[in-house]
Amino acid sequence: MNYTTLTSQIIAYANRANSTEFKIAVPYFIDNGQQKIWKELRTLGFQKTVQGNAQVGVAYIPKPQDWQETISIIYGTPDSPFTNSVVLLPRSYEFCVNYWPNPDIANSNNPPLFYADYYQQNIEPYNRHLISPTPDKTYSYQLIHTTRPDLISTEKQNNVLTDHYPDLLFYACFLEALIFLKDDQRMPIYSKLYQETLDSANKLTQDRYIDRSIKRDVG
């Protein structure tokens, strides 16, 4: 499947080959369908990995620009995150502040243990992870996060959804078309197909997420 074939499929299933109004709206259906999947599908295909180095005495690390949700952060020596690796445990902002109330102070006897999803001090709090205690070395870290995939369009014909989840993509987009058409008869059928396919796709990575979620408890 690609953007062109998906467009044709939506028009054919809707039986609107002669409707200019419907054809004009198809890109809107496809965009909305992708947005819906992006919010509900948990798949390895949405994951990315970045590496960096902490700064001594700086209590935060930046989030990638395409960040959506953090899966894990590990750090090691200044040379490699995979030497003497430590997995940071996710905690609330308040927990991290209570545990290490002086973010400008680093102590070699208290290396980092926790992270929070945001750093509430400067003007862009949601662009950073708070690290607690504050790094005392330039630790090399690896951050695994979910990201929003590039949406398909006439210019970009394929993405992870067309390549690996074509049925799910069609059901999501066609549901948007049925809403537009006010087709109450077929909507329950395709809602069920969408949900069943979504559940099946999510189950493929469920075990890995459960394993990671052990470390994602809230403090």
Side-chain angles (χ1 to χ4, degrees):
M1 175 185 284
N2 58 32
Y3 184 86
T4 300
T5 58
L6 175 61
T7 298
S8 299
Q9 194 173 6
I10 292 171
I11 293 171
Y13 272 69
N15 195 24
R16 289 297 189 277
N18 297 320
S19 172
T20 301
E21 180 186 13
F22 183 84
K23 290 179 180 179
I24 292 174
V26 169
Y28 172 81
F29 306 151
I30 295 176
D31 282 352
N32 278 9
Q34 290 179 94
Q35 296 284 0
K36 178 179 176 61
I37 294 173
W38 174 53
K39 294 174 183 176
E40 299 178 353
L41 177 63
R42 299 181 65 83
T43 171
L44 299 178
F46 290 178
Q47 292 185 16
K48 289 181 68 175
T49 299
V50 297
Q51 292 189 16
N53 283 83
Q55 300 179 56
V56 176
V58 176
Y60 64 84
I61 59 173
K63 293 178 179 178
Q65 289 188 343
D66 57 356
W67 177 91
Q68 173 63 22
E69 180 184 4
T70 298
I71 295 173
S72 68
I73 303 175
I74 68 169
Y75 74 91
T77 66
D79 297 323
S80 172
F82 308 113
T83 303
N84 300 326
S85 299
V86 176
V87 178
L88 292 181
L89 303 178
R91 293 292 185 268
S92 67
Y93 170 79
E94 291 76 14
F95 177 95
C96 290
V97 170
N98 286 331
Y99 188 86
W100 198 255
N102 297 305
D104 296 328
I105 297 175
N107 186 313
S108 60
N109 294 321
N110 293 276
L113 295 174
F114 311 107
Y115 76 90
D117 262 348
Y118 64 101
Y119 178 77
Q120 192 173 19
Q121 182 169 325
N122 295 320
I123 59 175
E124 295 178 337
Y126 293 102
N127 292 346
R128 302 169 175 179
H129 289 98
L130 173 63
I131 305 300
S132 178
T134 302
D136 60 298
K137 295 183 178 66
T138 58
Y139 297 109
S140 180
Y141 66 84
Q142 174 185 269
L143 190 158
I144 302 176
H145 66 100
T146 57
T147 182
R148 170 181 172 174
D150 294 333
L151 302 183
I152 56 171
S153 63
T154 53
E155 292 76 25
K156 181 177 175 55
Q157 289 281 321
N158 294 86
N159 65 7
V160 64
L161 298 178
T162 60
D163 294 343
H164 299 284
Y165 304 97
D167 291 347
L168 183 66
L169 178 60
F170 170 71
Y171 295 145
C173 298
F174 192 58
L175 274 171
E176 296 295 324
L178 294 177
I179 293 171
F180 175 83
L181 295 171
K182 299 181 176 60
D183 190 335
D184 295 336
Q185 279 192 314
R186 288 196 287 178
M187 204 174 299
I189 298 171
Y190 281 93
S191 293
K192 184 174 184 292
L193 287 170
Y194 170 80
Q195 191 60 52
E196 289 176 349
T197 309
L198 176 68
D199 291 343
S200 177
N202 279 332
K203 191 174 181 180
L204 293 175
T205 53
Q206 183 178 20
D207 290 344
R208 290 191 66 177
Y209 274 99
I210 289 174
D211 181 62
R212 285 169 172 173
S213 70
I214 294 172
K215 302 178 179 63
R216 292 185 57 79
D217 54 305
V218 177

